[in-house]
Amino acid sequence: MQNNKLQLNKAFAKVKPDLESFEVFKNNLKLLLAQIDREEDEEFNKNLVSDFLKNTHYSPSYFINVRKKSDLVIHNGKDAKSSVGVIFEVKQPTNKAEMLKVDDINVKALQQLMLYFLRERITGKNLEIKYLVATNIYEWFIFDAKIFEDLFAQNKDLVKKFHDFETKKLSGDRTNFFYKDIAKPAIASVIDKIKFTHFDIRDYADKWLKPLVPSGGDNERELIDLYKLFSPQHLLKLDFANDSNSLNKPFYNELLYIIGLTEIKEGGKKLISRKKDGDRNAGSLLENAISRLDGLDKIPQLKNLTNPEEFGETHDEKLFNVALRLSINWINRVLFLKLLEAQLIKYHQGDRNFAFLNLAKVKDYQALNSLFFEVLAREQSRRDEDVKEIFANVPYLNSSLFEQTEIEQITITIGVLKGKSLPIFGTSVLKEHDGKRRSGDLDALTYLFEFLDAYDFSSDELADGQEDSEKLINAAVLGLIFEKINGYKDGSFFTPSFITMYMCRETIRRAIVQKFNEVKGWDCESIKDLHERIDIKEKEEA
């Protein structure tokens, strides 16, 4: 028997936690400790455990409830039809006789877990059980289902006795008979091979939760491990991003939703397509664009394009493909600008005056269109007076990305879209002040800006402290996003590496020139001017 305290996947242990979710976890853990009543029965305490798990990590993506005779289970999906992933046995805090101890685990709670496991695994033929948990709320014993699979499900003699018990072929048919005469000796025969994770949440209360300490300190490391141990990434063995340059699936999925797309599998490949009729939202970029293209009767104008045939044959095909091309082009620009905005703010020590993707400066789609073509596409001296003050800190980008495409010239720009609301994504990153996931409707442009603001676009590496790794979107991650949304037909409209390289080069160059001008009082306009000025200065001082 081995006690492996807070055993986590080594790669997962290195992943920095989501700051907001970690704070929610700490508050919920404090609430759980405050609500425990030692005199209440198992049902009361079981509900506390259920609420804690739901509010911290699992709702609404993973269903938690009782199941048949099991105390509590976590499903692998969002409803009761999905398979069971985690099985619980919950005891009253005062029930010391039936609860496991570190040096004595062959007690009723573990014997009950064996019965629940065999019913789910053998009778229910469930191959997706991940963990089994015994708890009295204070103490937690967590067993990897692989241990139960190897030691119990693969034990032919035990499985036969289980079948005979379930079909009432043995001398006893009550569960206590199974626990005492079948489970107990079976566990005893392999007791030295049973590994588990054990912890007592009162230890964390004493060290870290009274009072609640600020995030980021080294003294929270074990509390972070506890946060991860309760997570679906651990208990349901979900994939996790242990590389800051890997695709951020929550970001990608919600971005597709805002555009009006979904990812499907076709012929062994993942493609993106329009959402099914009935699931579509008029406020998404795609549906808004389709509505405006149709309402303004722009499809007949495709005959003036260089390659009009690439958009299909029927009116509906053309309508969808043009709207999709436009929507992806618009979102490409916005994502690029979000990365640029974050770098400008970071360079200026967090000065939010350098933020420009917000409703204060971009009030509607027409204003966003102006940002594209009247600000970013023009040198500052050539900008109209009405945008000079609003976007005084936005640099000129000499890039084809901010030139109207042929399809925009023939059909519509983003400026003609109507302001419409969009229901918030079911697993949205957006949170209320109390940490709960937001719901309801939002103006679509507001939604897009708030969604992007929920992520960190400002750095390429995680800091040593409590960096919000699940919210980190760097240039490499955006490159993957660009590749996926631009490759919806196995093609692309521009190269992500060019975007990243151009952004880095131009931002750094302009920042260097600006800093020298501020410090030295110079008036250089380019990196070339700066080189020449430095050369002159060095010759003067030689």
Side-chain angles (χ1 to χ4, degrees), residues 359-420:
L359 290 179
K361 295 186 177 180
V362 182
K363 300 182 184 300
D364 51 31
Y365 286 117
Q366 181 55 53
L368 184 57
N369 195 66
S370 296
L371 175 62
F372 289 164
F373 305 122
E374 297 176 27
V375 178
L376 294 151
R378 291 187 188 180
E379 297 176 15
Q380 290 176 324
S381 61
R382 294 180 53 243
R383 293 175 185 171
D384 294 339
E385 291 300 324
D386 61 336
V387 299
K388 273 186 178 181
E389 184 177 351
I390 298 174
F391 298 108
N393 295 323
V394 179
Y396 160 62
L397 298 181
N398 183 20
S399 169
S400 59
L401 184 62
F402 296 100
E403 295 175 359
Q404 282 195 11
T405 62
E406 183 186 24
I407 191 67
E408 284 176 305
Q409 293 172 4
I410 295 297
T411 59
I412 62 173
T413 65
I414 198 170
V416 307
L417 296 187
K418 291 185 176 180
K420 295 184 178 183

Side-chain angles (χ1 to χ4, degrees), residues 257-273:
Y257 172 82
I258 292 170
I259 297 172
L261 299 169
T262 187
E263 191 171 69
I264 61 171
K265 284 187 177 181
E266 187 176 294
K269 294 192 300 183
K270 287 185 178 180
L271 302 174
I272 59 176
S273 70

Side-chain angles (χ1 to χ4, degrees), residues 155-171:
N155 182 331
K156 294 181 180 179
D157 181 58
L158 174 61
V159 171
K160 183 179 184 306
K161 289 179 180 177
F162 165 73
H163 276 305
D164 290 344
F165 169 76
E166 291 288 87
T167 54
K168 303 183 184 303
K169 293 180 180 179
L170 302 180
S171 58

Side-chain angles (χ1 to χ4, degrees), residues 100-117:
L100 291 77
K101 303 176 185 63
V102 172
D103 57 356
D104 183 14
I105 65 170
N106 196 358
V107 294
K108 188 174 181 179
L110 183 59
Q111 295 155 11
Q112 288 173 301
L113 282 178
M114 176 196 282
L115 180 58
Y116 302 155
F117 173 78

Side-chain angles (χ1 to χ4, degrees), residues 112-388:
Q112 288 173 301
L113 282 178
M114 176 196 282
L115 180 58
Y116 302 155
F117 173 78
L118 292 174
R119 283 173 171 168
E120 189 67 40
R121 170 68 181 86
I122 303 301
T123 307
K125 302 186 185 305
N126 182 1
L127 301 176
E128 300 182 72
I129 307 168
K130 311 299 172 53
Y131 281 99
L132 297 101
V133 180
T135 181
N136 62 4
I137 302 191
Y138 288 127
E139 287 193 84
W140 295 70
F141 290 79
I142 302 180
F143 302 85
D144 193 319
K146 289 181 180 179
I147 299 293
F148 277 55
E149 176 69 24
D150 294 341
L151 300 180
F152 304 141
Q154 298 304 317
N155 182 331
K156 294 181 180 179
D157 181 58
L158 174 61
V159 171
K160 183 179 184 306
K161 289 179 180 177
F162 165 73
H163 276 305
D164 290 344
F165 169 76
E166 291 288 87
T167 54
K168 303 183 184 303
K169 293 180 180 179
L170 302 180
S171 58
D173 58 7
R174 300 178 68 85
T175 53
N176 280 335
F177 171 82
F178 180 88
Y179 302 146
K180 180 180 178 181
D181 295 286
I182 299 176
K184 188 172 183 177
I187 292 170
S189 67
V190 294
I191 195 74
D192 292 334
K193 298 179 181 179
I194 300 178
K195 300 178 182 180
F196 59 89
T197 292
H198 167 261
F199 57 89
D200 190 322
I201 61 174
R202 288 171 292 193
D203 294 340
Y204 299 91
D206 293 340
K207 292 181 182 179
W208 293 288
L209 296 176
K210 298 178 181 178
L212 190 65
V213 298
S215 297
D218 291 339
N219 60 340
E220 281 194 336
R221 186 161 300 171
E222 289 187 45
L223 192 58
I224 291 169
D225 286 346
L226 186 66
Y227 159 82
K228 292 179 181 178
L229 190 139
F230 278 116
S231 72
Q233 284 72 26
H234 179 72
L235 288 182
L236 293 179
K237 298 185 179 181
L238 302 181
D239 292 334
F240 59 89
N242 62 340
D243 178 358
S244 62
N245 291 334
S246 60
L247 180 68
N248 187 312
K249 287 293 288 183
F251 177 86
Y252 174 64
N253 290 336
E254 191 162 3
L255 179 66
L256 286 186
Y257 172 82
I258 292 170
I259 297 172
L261 299 169
T262 187
E263 191 171 69
I264 61 171
K265 284 187 177 181
E266 187 176 294
K269 294 192 300 183
K270 287 185 178 180
L271 302 174
I272 59 176
S273 70
R274 187 180 185 182
K275 295 174 73 69
K276 293 180 180 180
D277 192 14
D279 293 334
R280 297 167 186 167
N281 296 301
S284 67
L285 276 179
L286 180 67
E287 299 304 327
N288 202 337
I290 288 174
S291 175
R292 299 303 287 145
L293 284 166
D294 205 23
L296 296 171
D297 197 26
K298 291 294 184 178
I299 296 305
Q301 301 301 318
L302 295 181
K303 63 185 179 182
N304 298 316
L305 289 172
T306 305
N307 296 305
E309 63 278 358
E310 68 176 305
F311 292 101
E313 297 180 359
T314 68
H315 178 80
D316 286 344
E317 283 179 346
K318 293 174 182 178
L319 198 59
F320 167 71
N321 286 319
V322 171
L324 180 58
R325 176 74 65 87
L326 290 168
S327 298
I328 289 175
N329 197 40
W330 296 332
I331 210 69
N332 285 340
R333 289 174 180 149
V334 171
L335 291 177
F336 172 81
L337 292 178
K338 191 63 186 177
L339 200 59
L340 174 62
E341 177 194 61
Q343 295 303 320
L344 288 172
I345 295 171
K346 181 182 178 182
Y347 177 78
H348 292 91
Q349 291 77 48
D351 187 348
R352 294 296 300 179
N353 288 321
F354 287 84
F356 56 85
L357 279 180
N358 52 65
L359 290 179
K361 295 186 177 180
V362 182
K363 300 182 184 300
D364 51 31
Y365 286 117
Q366 181 55 53
L368 184 57
N369 195 66
S370 296
L371 175 62
F372 289 164
F373 305 122
E374 297 176 27
V375 178
L376 294 151
R378 291 187 188 180
E379 297 176 15
Q380 290 176 324
S381 61
R382 294 180 53 243
R383 293 175 185 171
D384 294 339
E385 291 300 324
D386 61 336
V387 299
K388 273 186 178 181

